[in-house]
C-alpha cells in the first residue's frame, strides 16, 4: 500500500457520532497522526460552522484549519474565518426546486451561502419532523420560509437537503435541473450544484497540499462519501458503511464508527507504518 500522506474523513457516521460530536477514541490517534506529519482533513455534509464540529477544541486544526462542508459546496478556513472556495446552487435553479415541492410532503432545507441563513420550503414546527429537529442542531442563524421570500428570491445555496422525498423526485432534480444528488434511502437527499461532491474535495485538497491521489486515503459511510472513496488512492469502508461503499473500498475496518473504526485505521495503517519507517 502507498504511504498515506493525507487522510480525508467524513464526519457523521464515520469519525463522529451521527448528528453529534466526535467519537472520543478517535481524537488521540488523529492528533498523533498529525504530529508524525500526516495531514488530516474533514469533508462533511454538515455546514462548516456547526457547533458539534469543534475541530479547534480537539487540536485537529493546528497545522491547517481547512474544513470542507456541505459536500464541498463550501471550503472554509477556520483560522481566518473566510470561505476559500464557494460552489453554490444558483438562485434560479434553487427556486425551481422550491416550486417543485409546493403542496407536497417534501421539505427542502437550504443552507444559504452567507453562512447565516436557512430557507425552508414550508414551516415544520406545526408538523413534527425528526430529521429537521436534528438538522437544527447544526444551525443557529436565521430561518426564512420560502413563501415569505419567493418574490425576492436571490439566494444561492451551499447545499439543499430534501426530507420526505422519493427517488422519482430526486431523479428529476438530478436530470432536469442538472444537480448532484446523494441519497441513502430515497427519502432524505443531499443536493449540490453539478459536479460538487466529495470527489471535488479530494481534487481540491490534492492540489492545495500538493499530494498525489495515490497518497490520499478517504474513509466514509454514506452515499455522499462514495465519490471520494472511489477517487482517492486508498478508499476505506467501516462496518456501518453503505454496501456500495464496501464494494469499492480497498480497505475494510470491521468496526462501527462508535467503536472507533477511525482510530483502528489510523493506528494500523498510519501510526504503525510511520513507526516502521
Amino acid at each position: 500500500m502507498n504511504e498515506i500522506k493525507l487522510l480525508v474523513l467524513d464526519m457523521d457516521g464515520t469519525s463522529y457520532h451521527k448528528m453529534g460530536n466526535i467519537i472520543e477514541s478517535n481524537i488521540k490517534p488523529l492528533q498523533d497522526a498529525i504530529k508524525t506529519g500526516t495531514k488530516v482533513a474533514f469533508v462533511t455534509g454538515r455546514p462548516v460552522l456547526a457547533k458539534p464540529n469543534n475541530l479547534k477544541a480537539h487540536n485537529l486544526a493546528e497545522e491547517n484549519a481547512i474544513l470542507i462542508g456541505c459536500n464541498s459546496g463550501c471550503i472554509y478556513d477556520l483560522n481566518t474565518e473566510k470561505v476559500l472556495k464557494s460552489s453554490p446552487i444558483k438562485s434560479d435553479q434553487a427556486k425551481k426546486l422550491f416550486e417543485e415541492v409546493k403542496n407536497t410532503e417534501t421539505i427542502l432545507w437550504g443552507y444559504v451561502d452567507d453562512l447565516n441563513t436557512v430557507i425552508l420550503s414550508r414551516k415544520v414546527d406545526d408538523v413534527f419532523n425528526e430529521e429537521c429537529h436534528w438538522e437544527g442542531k447544526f444551525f443557529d442563524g436565521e430561518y426564512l420560509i420560502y413563501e415569505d421570500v419567493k418574490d425576492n428570491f436571490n439566494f444561492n445555496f451551499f447545499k439543499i437537503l430534501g426530507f420526505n422525498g422519493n427517488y422519482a423526485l430526486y431523479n428529476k432534480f438530478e436530470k432536469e435541473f442538472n444537480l448532484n444528488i446523494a441519497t441513502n434511502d430515497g427519502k432524505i437527499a443531499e443536493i449540490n450544484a453539478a459536479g460538487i461532491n466529495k470527489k471535488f474535495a479530494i481534487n481540491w485538497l490534492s492540489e492545495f497540499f500538493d499530494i498525489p491521489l495515490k497518497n490520499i486515503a478517504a474513509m466514509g459511510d454514506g452515499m455522499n462519501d462514495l465519490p471520494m472513496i472511489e477517487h482517492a488512492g486508498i478508499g476505506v469502508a467501516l462496518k456501518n458503511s453503505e454496501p456500495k461503499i464496501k464494494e469499492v473500498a480497498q480497505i475494510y475496518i470491521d468496526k462501527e464508527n462508535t467503536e472507533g473504526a477511525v482510530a483502528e485505521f489510523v493506528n494500523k495503517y498510519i501510526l504503525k507504518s510511520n513507526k516502521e519507517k
Side-chain angles (χ1 to χ4, degrees):
M1 187 180 76
N2 291 320
E3 179 187 359
I4 297 170
K5 297 182 179 179
L6 168 63
L7 173 61
V8 180
L9 293 170
D10 168 55
M11 284 185 168
D12 289 285
T14 303
S15 53
Y16 281 60
H17 294 281
K18 274 195 177 291
M19 312 303 288
N21 298 313
I22 194 168
I23 293 159
E24 289 289 327
S25 61
N26 293 332
I27 296 173
K28 188 173 187 307
L30 288 172
Q31 291 173 340
D32 290 344
I34 292 169
K35 288 174 185 174
T36 63
T38 304
K39 297 188 183 300
V40 175
F42 292 85
V43 179
T44 178
R46 296 179 177 191
V48 293
L49 300 183
K51 285 183 180 177
N53 297 348
N54 218 15
L55 290 178
K56 295 184 85 172
H58 299 306
N59 296 319
L60 295 176
E62 289 184 334
E63 184 184 347
N64 68 84
I66 294 167
L67 176 57
I68 300 183
C70 292
N71 298 322
S72 302
C74 177
I75 301 178
Y76 189 78
D77 188 315
L78 293 167
N79 281 336
T80 64
E81 300 182 348
K82 301 246 180 182
V83 175
L84 301 180
K85 177 72 175 174
S86 174
S87 304
I89 301 170
K90 299 298 186 182
S91 60
D92 57 338
Q93 283 183 301
K95 189 166 188 178
K96 292 176 184 177
L97 303 189
F98 281 92
E99 285 291 324
E100 189 73 26
V101 303
K102 282 172 69 172
N103 305 315
T104 73
E105 290 298 310
T106 301
I107 300 166
L108 295 185
W109 177 301
Y111 284 107
V112 178
D113 66 352
D114 66 358
L115 296 172
N116 297 308
T117 311
V118 158
I119 309 291
L120 289 166
S121 57
R122 62 180 171 87
K123 291 182 179 179
V124 294
D125 52 355
D126 57 340
V127 179
F128 180 73
N129 183 282
E130 186 177 2
E131 290 82 11
C132 288
H133 167 76
W134 285 104
E135 190 67 27
K137 294 182 179 297
F138 290 152
F139 184 73
D140 296 319
E142 181 181 19
Y143 290 88
L144 301 175
I145 305 301
Y146 173 67
E147 193 66 26
D148 297 332
V149 297
K150 68 177 183 179
D151 294 333
N152 187 26
F153 195 81
N154 57 356
F155 306 95
N156 297 321
F157 296 86
F158 285 136
K159 182 181 83 165
I160 297 174
L161 283 164
F163 298 109
N164 300 337
N166 55 72
Y167 282 113
L169 177 70
Y170 297 139
N171 285 338
K172 182 174 185 177
F173 286 178
E174 186 172 50
K175 292 174 182 175
E176 292 188 22
F177 302 150
N178 190 30
L179 293 165
N180 191 89
I181 308 291
T183 179
N184 290 346
D185 59 5
K187 295 179 181 178
I188 301 174
E190 303 194 53
I191 306 164
N192 285 91
I196 301 306
N197 55 30
K198 293 190 179 187
K199 174 183 176 181
F200 181 92
I202 294 289
N203 285 332
W204 190 92
L205 288 164
S206 175
E207 183 176 348
F208 184 81
F209 289 121
D210 193 23
I211 294 175
L213 289 175
K214 67 180 182 179
N215 300 116
I216 299 175
M219 187 172 185
D221 70 303
M223 290 304 291
N224 64 327
D225 299 309
L226 182 61
M228 76 172 183
I229 302 295
E230 290 180 315
H231 191 58
I234 303 159
V236 187
L238 57 157
K239 194 171 184 179
N240 56 284
S241 293
E242 289 291 316
K244 185 66 176 175
I245 302 286
K246 294 176 183 177
E247 285 177 22
V248 303
Q250 288 84 28
I251 294 174
Y252 173 70
I253 302 298
D254 194 27
K255 282 187 175 181
E256 302 268 344
N257 64 309
T258 54
E259 297 172 319
V262 168
E264 175 87 0
F265 175 78
V266 172
N267 284 326
K268 183 174 181 179
Y269 291 96
I270 295 178
L271 296 179
K272 183 181 177 182
S273 174
N274 287 341
K275 284 179 183 176
E276 291 172 350
K277 286 178 189 175

